[in-house]
Amino acid sequence: MFISLSSQRKWKIAKSDSKATSLREQGNVAYKKTPNEPAKALQLYNQSICMAKQGSKDLGLGYANRSAVFFNNKLYRECLQNIELARCNNYPAEMMPKLLQREERCKLLLEAGSTSTTEHNTTSHCAIKSCLELSKDGTGICTNRSLEVGEKVLLEKSFVLVLEAELAYERCDYCGASNEHNLLPCRGCTAVMYCSEECQEQSLQRYHQFECEIVDDLQLLFRGPKPARMFHVILRLFWHAVLLLLEDPEGFVKRIGTPAEMEKYRDPFGLEPSDYILYLNATCPDKPAYDKKDQTGRCVSQIMTILMYVIAVEENTSVWPRLEGKVGKKKLLDLLFRLVIRTDRLVEDSMDHAACFYPFACLLQRSDSPNAEQLLQDLQSVVVLKCPVAEGQEITISKKNINR
């Protein structure tokens, strides 16, 4: 039995028009001070947009102010997007003529060919050489044909990521894109923003439907040294298991608890992304492989598992009532612990912007004499061969720090 932590938890930060106004005014001051360096002003406008209540004029004013910054920086498509958002979110009627004038000027400039803008990439999260496959022992990646030096064999966007807290109003919480600060706020909390409606919907479906109610508690739990965000990545992977349980409780229990069924999920190359969590369950050890002297590591894993489970599941009103009466509910704690004990192996935290999970890169074995190099570029993991690799040979990367 776990001790309730509800008495020690702080209330979720509520949206507030007065705070939104204050942040917007700070943005105005920042922009007037350094108009040629709008990043600080845009961050404050984003915070204001996140803080404003749905349906309030402050939300419309925040989008309008942001549109002005984009216009002045010749980002005309982004300007038009924000003008439309302002119009749809109760922008004051008495101020509308000025906004419409800006809109008309944007359209004229776009027609004249001034189209500086950013684009959102919605392609698949990974590209893998067709010759790569799971090694015979199931612990690494090998090739079924010879490969030449310099070949790019694996490129992955992060399947799950967690931003550093200071970037919450600068980058998309789902894909990590900066998108020139042209971000959309979560409608239910003040902590996350998205670069597109698609990312907002994907986030809601995969994890934010569970995190929105407890986002402030999670920020407290995972604050401090950067490696703490690795546990948040694990939690976002864990939500995939919760989704599978809610969709089909009996099927979920069968797939994670039956040896014959678990065998079907030991090769990630043949799986849909929604089943990656089943692969991790099938390959996570039943017991942590700690050195007998490493009691600290064991205790940290146990404590973090309990804290995460209590805050994220047992005391989370968006989760616990939906699990009531579901078979397999008790297996969730065990699965979470098995993920936590593999945190270092599953999560990449060497980047400045985020901690990430790359399903295939984390399979690569480490070696003192690697034949490949892993590069991290714009939240993508790229694996390039450093020397020729023979048919049947395993792809390995360095034990040292990854290049960036």
Side-chain angles (χ1 to χ4, degrees):
M1 180 183 296
F2 299 131
I3 299 173
S4 173
L5 302 179
S6 58
S7 62
Q8 300 177 28
R9 293 166 61 195
K10 71 188 186 99
W11 292 103
K12 175 183 174 181
I13 296 175
K15 291 183 180 287
S16 165
D17 288 337
S18 62
K19 291 181 181 178
T21 298
S22 176
L23 288 163
R24 190 176 67 254
E25 290 173 348
Q26 292 177 50
N28 293 340
V29 171
Y31 189 60
K32 289 178 181 178
K33 185 176 181 180
T34 55
N36 295 323
E37 298 177 9
K40 179 60 177 177
L42 284 170
Q43 184 181 34
L44 287 164
Y45 288 147
N46 282 347
Q47 288 179 267
S48 174
I49 289 167
C50 271
M51 191 61 68
K53 294 179 180 178
Q54 288 299 122
S56 70
K57 71 174 184 179
D58 287 279
L59 186 55
L61 287 167
Y63 285 125
N65 283 27
R66 204 167 67 176
S67 76
V69 177
F70 288 134
F71 180 84
N72 291 334
N73 284 270
K74 299 182 180 180
L75 294 167
Y76 301 123
R77 293 191 187 279
E78 287 82 351
C79 178
L80 288 175
Q81 291 168 4
N82 281 270
I83 288 172
E84 182 59 26
L85 287 167
R87 182 187 285 115
C88 294
N89 286 280
N90 294 321
Y91 186 72
E94 65 273 15
M95 301 174 70
M96 190 63 73
K98 183 177 180 180
L99 196 67
L100 296 178
Q101 184 183 48
R102 184 182 301 149
E103 181 179 42
E104 185 62 27
R105 291 176 66 191
C106 269
K107 291 178 179 178
L108 289 173
L109 287 165
L110 281 172
E111 290 175 3
S114 299
T115 58
S116 176
T117 187
T118 56
E119 294 184 4
H120 179 59
N121 191 340
T122 59
T123 57
S124 173
H125 81 87
C126 66
I128 308 171
K129 278 279 187 181
S130 59
C131 60
L132 298 188
E133 58 188 27
L134 194 67
S135 59
K136 290 183 179 180
D137 63 4
T139 63
I141 295 177
C142 65
T143 174
N144 58 27
R145 68 171 175 82
S146 297
L147 296 171
E148 300 297 325
V149 60
E151 287 198 57
K152 186 185 297 183
V153 295
L154 177 61
L155 186 151
E156 290 184 276
K157 298 178 185 176
S158 58
F159 181 66
V160 171
L161 64 79
V162 171
L163 292 173
E164 288 300 290
E166 64 270 18
L167 301 175
Y169 304 107
E170 298 180 27
R171 290 179 173 266
C172 176
D173 188 69
Y174 180 73
C175 74
S178 61
N179 206 34
E180 295 293 341
H181 290 77
N182 190 23
L183 303 170
L184 300 172
C186 171
R187 298 181 182 89
C189 71
T190 64
V192 298
M193 302 191 80
Y194 304 99
C195 66
S196 67
E197 291 183 357
E198 179 185 355
C199 278
Q200 188 169 28
E201 181 60 27
Q202 287 295 319
S203 167
L204 189 64
Q205 289 181 13
R206 289 194 183 190
Y207 59 84
H208 199 65
Q209 61 174 295
F210 305 123
E211 293 186 4
C212 192
E213 284 298 316
I214 58 168
V215 67
D216 300 313
D217 294 319
L218 295 181
Q219 287 183 342
L220 284 174
L221 180 62
F222 300 124
R223 71 180 179 181
K226 190 176 188 298
R229 255 71 75 208
M230 297 171 70
F231 292 110
H232 197 173
V233 174
I234 293 297
L235 180 61
R236 288 189 171 175
L237 285 172
F238 171 74
W239 292 133
H240 287 72
V242 174
L243 285 170
L244 291 177
L245 172 60
L246 292 174
E247 290 170 1
D248 181 10
E250 293 183 359
F252 175 76
V253 172
K254 182 179 179 181
R255 285 183 283 178
I256 71 165
T258 307
E261 285 292 317
M262 290 172 64
E263 284 298 318
K264 299 177 182 179
Y265 299 99
R266 288 188 176 274
D267 185 352
F269 285 90
L271 298 180
E272 293 294 322
S274 58
D275 290 332
Y276 287 161
I277 189 65
L278 298 175
Y279 159 74
L280 293 177
N281 171 73
T283 56
C284 279
D286 291 324
K287 295 181 180 180
Y290 293 119
D291 185 279
K292 291 182 179 180
K293 297 180 180 179
D294 187 15
Q295 295 301 317
T296 300
R298 182 189 300 270
C299 289
V300 169
S301 294
Q302 291 173 336
I303 291 171
M304 283 304 300
T305 301
I306 292 172
L307 285 173
M308 289 164 65
Y309 191 80
V310 172
I311 292 174
V313 180
E314 286 199 340
E315 296 190 355
N316 187 345
T317 57
S318 64
V319 177
W320 193 248
R322 296 165 66 182
L323 293 175
E324 190 65 33
K326 296 286 193 301
V327 296
K329 179 176 65 176
K330 294 181 180 179
K331 293 184 177 294
L332 290 176
L333 178 60
D334 176 63
L335 174 58
L336 180 58
F337 180 61
R338 295 170 73 187
L339 293 174
V340 167
I341 62 177
R342 291 192 70 195
T343 298
D344 288 344
R345 189 71 179 87
L346 296 178
V347 183
E348 174 56 60
D349 75 330
S350 64
M351 290 168 290
D352 294 330
H353 302 317
C356 304
F357 168 63
Y358 300 104
F360 294 95
C362 75
L363 263 175
L364 295 170
Q365 293 297 304
R366 271 59 175 173
S367 171
D368 290 324
S369 302
N371 52 31
E373 182 177 21
Q374 184 183 12
L375 309 171
L376 296 175
Q377 303 170 342
D378 298 325
L379 298 180
Q380 293 187 102
S381 170
V382 183
V383 178
V384 182
L385 296 184
K386 297 172 59 178
C387 56
V389 176
E391 178 181 345
Q393 188 176 354
E394 193 166 34
I395 309 294
T396 59
I397 57 177
S398 175
K399 291 181 179 179
K400 298 179 181 179
N401 293 333
I402 295 173
N403 292 321
R404 288 183 279 174

